Amino acid sequence: VPRLEAPARPNLFVFEVGRTGRGPLLVAWEQRDSFHGEDEPPVAFHWPWPAATATAVDAMGQAQPVEVADGRVALPVSLTPVFIATG
């Protein structure tokens, strides 16, 4: 699973998971302090997206708000990994 580069944001971790016969899947989070990182507000995440729709669920199973426009996916990210897939 390759990590995708986000040069302007070195604390942003984005991974693209290849899935045969299925649409794209990204996993994204911001590296933060393990104890206080969740106390910080989420940051905006924008990434190129090849599909017309997307859904997002965090590692705790909670649905996250996500928008797709102009070939990009946008959602807030924090310390908790978010899984982004075609909707």
Side-chain angles (χ1 to χ4, degrees):
V1 177
R3 179 177 178 194
L4 304 176
E5 293 294 321
R9 296 179 60 190
N11 289 346
L12 183 64
F13 283 72
V14 182
F15 294 87
E16 182 174 23
V17 180
R19 306 182 305 166
T20 303
R22 299 177 73 184
L25 173 68
L26 294 179
V27 182
W29 71 89
E30 185 178 57
Q31 183 180 18
R32 299 178 174 182
D33 179 84
S34 298
F35 295 104
H36 303 289
E38 281 300 330
D39 295 335
E40 298 176 29
V43 297
F45 171 73
H46 303 269
W47 204 263
W49 191 249
T53 61
T55 60
V57 176
D58 70 20
M60 305 298 180
Q62 298 295 311
Q64 298 298 308
V66 61
E67 295 180 12
V68 177
D70 300 323
R72 297 184 69 80
V73 65
L75 65 150
V77 297
S78 67
L79 177 66
T80 304
V82 176
F83 301 87
I84 308 152
T86 54

